[in-house]
Amino acid sequence: MSDEFVRVGRLRDVPPGKLKQVRCAGQDVTIANVSGTIYAFDAYCPHAAWPLAWSGVEVGPPARLRCGLHGWLFDLTSGDAILPPEPQCLPIWETRVVGEHIEVRPAAAGQPAAK
Ligand code: FES
């Protein structure tokens, strides 16, 4: 997979508090807007593969995602699960906003996404 950023949507399509699932380089990725900061992560819950776009975000800090099926809680800055505790549970993608566009790329292996 390329390590370049890929444009996946417009900022106006993901207003604060909302999530959206997109495709990037053949993978499903979910974008979240938490109080104006964009996060991206693998689209399916590592517990039982629930689509994480059907979840809720919490402002924090740290910014968090609560899975809509069984309630696992993830730190969106690191990918760590908070409940139940498990380090680097959810693969986080790097994000950037260029003008009105959201761009993502996978974080380097073993590294939390830089913001
Ligand atoms: S599928 Fe997400 S917590 Fe169970």
Side-chain angles (χ1 to χ4, degrees):
M1 175 185 295
S2 169
D3 61 357
E4 298 299 316
F5 279 95
V6 175
R7 190 171 287 183
V8 292
R10 291 181 178 268
L11 204 47
R12 67 179 179 226
D13 297 331
V14 192
K18 300 296 184 184
L19 301 108
K20 179 178 178 138
Q21 185 171 318
V22 299
R23 289 283 289 177
C24 180
Q27 294 189 53
D28 294 323
V29 181
T30 297
I31 308 295
N33 183 334
V34 184
S35 295
T37 300
I38 300 297
Y39 297 89
F41 41 89
D42 281 9
Y44 302 104
C45 183
H47 177 220
W50 179 260
L52 289 172
W54 301 345
S55 299
V57 294
E58 300 176 4
V59 172
R64 298 180 297 257
L65 175 88
R66 187 176 296 277
C67 177
L69 190 55
H70 304 112
W72 280 26
L73 186 64
F74 301 96
D75 176 340
L76 291 179
T77 65
S78 65
D80 294 347
I82 299 168
L83 289 174
E86 184 176 332
Q88 296 188 334
C89 188
L90 178 66
I92 302 293
W93 292 52
E94 291 186 68
T95 66
R96 69 182 184 190
V97 175
V98 179
E100 283 295 310
H101 299 281
I102 298 168
E103 298 182 348
V104 304
R105 71 178 179 187
Q111 299 293 318
K115 294 301 289 180

